[in-house]
Amino acid sequence: FTDLQLKGFDWNMEANKRGHHTDKYYHKELITRRGQPFQVRMLMNQPISKDVNIIFTCSIGPNASEAARTKNVFPLTTGSTNNAWSAVIVSNNGNSLIVNISSPANAPIGRYALSLQISSQNGRISENLGTWILLFNPWFQGDAVYMMNNAEREEYVEEDAGIIYVGSVNRISMVGWNYGQFEDDILNICLSILDRSLNFRRDPVTDVARRNDPKYIGRVLSGMINSNDDNGVLAGNWSGDYSGGKDPRNWNGSVEILQEWKKNRFQPVRFGQCWVFAGTLNTVLRCLGIPSRVITNFNSAHDTDRSLTVDVYYDSQGNPLERGSDSVWNFHVWNEAWFVRADLSPAYNGWQVLDATPQERSQGVFQCGPASVIAVQQGDVNFDYDMPFVFAEVNADSITWMVTPDGKNRRNSTKTDSVGKFISTKAVGSNSRVDVTDKYKPPEGSKQRRMSGRFGATSSEAGGSAEKPSSISGKFKVNGTLEVGKEVNLALQLKNMSGDWKTITVNMTAWTIVYNGTLVHEVWKNSFTASLNPEEEAEYPVRISYPQYENYLTADNMVRITAVCQVSDEAEVVVERDVILDNPAITLEVKGCSYGGVGEWAVFSYSTVWLRLCPPGDMRLGQLVLFPPHLFSCFSLFFRVPSLSPKEHSNFKFEITPLRSGTKQLNIDFSCNKFPAIKAFMSVDVTE
């Protein structure tokens, strides 16, 4: 034993957490950010003499080694070192030392063990000091995730609730989402996700060493948030039948999903769809310190064969056919993460696409990205990772094929500008929608657009004859409001663009669908013959009653109406429109502030919430769930709603006592036999 001994060690928890922007985490261990020193206090039994050496060792992961940079040995000194592990005395008051421990800006992130060894002529002793967690540091310029703008950093790292855009190009709507990255045990679960990846299972030493790279971690997480290869967090389901799990529309945040994954011994949580995968991945990225945001692409192409086209099929009766593997989703949600692309040139730094929704395999695994947004915009489809797939999501040509009665395919039409619309994300510091389409592609018709990689794309479909022009055009027009419980009322508008009289055969169908285009059930069809004089335009009604669609509507509330219109000896004109039916509204008020506004509450003061629900038809017993994250812990409130007659109202009033300050999001979710997911949310400013 040495004469010098360690009597006490203080992690200086509160001050370090404030200095490292980790004081919002509900976590017992110290959490620091790489590249930035943290301060500890050491109490010795006597002053340190010159013949004593104190050596620190920090290690991460199994079989840590200095060769892999997962074990680091460094002495206690009085001088600083740049971008390396170090322990520097900043104050020495006899038996009491204050020491700055620094990590390099490219150190692997995760849970470290810290120990020290005291050596002298009389021998040596070792002390285990405990563990702490090291995260990425977007506040430090030397870190690959550095983000200079303070408002953006607050939004993309520290904001724990947000908005995800859903719907269609004709009806963009939004849902609130609780990211909850600072909640109790969420950081532990995020680290468990990394430790359960295929890469860790195959080679844990190399995997942990590579956790210094946000590009590597982002790609691993994009594969682990879905469960397809690795018992990851979420199982996807787009069938419309969610028995055995939870309808994806009923999730309101990531915390419940991640906690359930751990509670179920890391078995996949059922079920998720794209915005659920993206919301959960956003939580994990922000929790680990990588700036991230959620992106929604409307009319998003799913190109399965790298052809930069998607092929859609119809028969002559107007039925959409699930014939090919390509599809166009009404919307698709992915993530962007902010970091340097050291594997490319600095021109491609910044936002990178990561997509956790399992669509196509990449290197044998359902993972996607990171794909540089700048590279997507410039058409650089040959870069890593998954650039052709992401590029096609926003740029693919949509080719319509008619399937003849004998099973042959005939190319009908090509749309070069229908995919990749209204690409959206939440604004910094507000609930406004920001359109970022110009970040993904140049404007239609521009010179840069014509030179991009999308041109020269060919369809994956080999057979079929060339497209023929038609003398007529058509579109659907919505009449009145579209609401669940009411008649769907549209009009098919046909126009004769020629100077000749035309007879048109029209076959129409309506199907309920899932938002990604999966057909659920045919609910209506009609056929008729129309005659149009030269250059005449006429309207033909489409009316679908509530009893026709009520039993087949999914939580997406989407109906696809298709008309195949044909003039003899001309190509068919396919007219299609997806409509979204509005749910009955939940009226939500907080101290006189209604849905969409910002209410004001105070910590430890009673605040009143009013809810009013008015369904359009009979409603059997339902359930109302209130999600008030960060208000009083993270519990949800469940209310039973009695059965209601048509147009009967149900009113609720309850009080909440907030325990934490800041801008918080209050989410409401209502479900019953007729309405699987009615949502509302509100932002609330909670003051001290």
Side-chain angles (χ1 to χ4, degrees), residues 235-420:
N237 185 341
W238 287 266
S239 69
D241 177 8
Y242 308 115
S243 55
K246 193 168 186 174
D247 187 321
R249 292 273 175 179
N250 290 133
W251 297 114
N252 290 275
S254 312
V255 174
E256 184 182 0
I257 293 168
L258 293 169
Q259 289 176 339
E260 185 172 327
W261 183 61
K262 180 180 178 180
K263 180 181 177 182
N264 293 339
R265 298 183 178 181
F266 305 106
Q267 293 302 304
V269 177
R270 297 183 293 182
F271 293 104
Q273 291 175 355
C274 68
W275 72 94
V276 184
F277 290 106
T280 305
L281 177 56
N282 212 56
T283 295
V284 180
L285 290 167
R286 290 186 184 182
C287 186
L288 298 178
I290 302 175
S292 61
R293 62 186 185 181
V294 175
I295 300 289
T296 303
N297 178 37
F298 292 93
N299 282 1
S300 187
H302 180 176
D303 174 25
T304 59
D305 54 13
R306 298 168 65 100
S307 66
L308 301 185
T309 67
V310 289
D311 301 298
V312 292
Y313 300 84
Y314 301 88
D315 65 18
S316 60
Q317 298 304 306
N319 291 301
L321 305 176
E322 293 179 327
R323 189 180 181 102
S325 54
D326 290 349
S327 58
V328 177
W329 297 26
N330 274 277
F331 68 92
H332 180 48
V333 186
W334 58 69
N335 300 82
E336 288 178 357
W338 178 274
F339 50 81
V340 166
R341 287 300 297 269
D343 57 321
L344 305 177
S345 77
Y348 300 102
N349 293 345
W351 291 118
Q352 315 290 326
V353 172
L354 294 168
D355 193 346
T357 301
Q359 295 182 95
E360 297 297 320
R361 292 187 185 276
S362 174
Q363 296 178 325
V365 177
F366 281 99
Q367 58 188 350
C368 183
S372 163
V373 173
I374 293 173
V376 172
Q377 189 211 45
Q378 296 179 356
D380 296 324
V381 297
N382 295 319
F383 290 155
D384 290 337
Y385 295 86
D386 307 301
M387 282 293 302
F389 183 81
V390 176
F391 183 84
E393 287 184 301
V394 299
N395 284 295
D397 291 346
S398 177
I399 301 178
T400 299
W401 297 83
M402 297 302 302
V403 179
T404 62
D406 60 359
K408 295 182 179 179
N409 302 326
R410 184 174 68 252
R411 186 164 172 159
N412 177 268
S413 62
T414 301
K415 296 177 182 178
T416 61
D417 60 353
S418 64
V419 162

Side-chain angles (χ1 to χ4, degrees), residues 190-210:
C190 293
L191 296 177
S192 294
I193 292 173
L194 296 176
D195 288 344
R196 292 182 171 273
S197 71
L198 293 176
N199 291 15
F200 183 83
R201 284 184 249 168
R202 291 166 181 161
D203 186 350
V205 173
T206 301
D207 173 74
V208 172
R210 295 188 68 185

Side-chain angles (χ1 to χ4, degrees), residues 550-599:
E550 68 168 317
N551 293 326
Y552 306 108
L553 203 62
T554 71
D556 297 305
N557 288 358
M558 287 187 178
V559 180
R560 174 168 293 172
I561 300 101
T562 307
V564 174
C565 313
Q566 182 161 27
V567 177
S568 180
D569 298 325
E570 293 184 11
E572 301 90 338
V573 172
V574 179
V575 185
E576 182 180 272
R577 178 153 183 175
D578 293 348
V579 297
I580 301 177
L581 311 184
D582 289 338
N583 280 321
I586 294 178
T587 303
L588 177 62
E589 293 185 2
V590 177
K591 281 194 173 181
C593 179
S594 60
Y595 172 68
V598 179

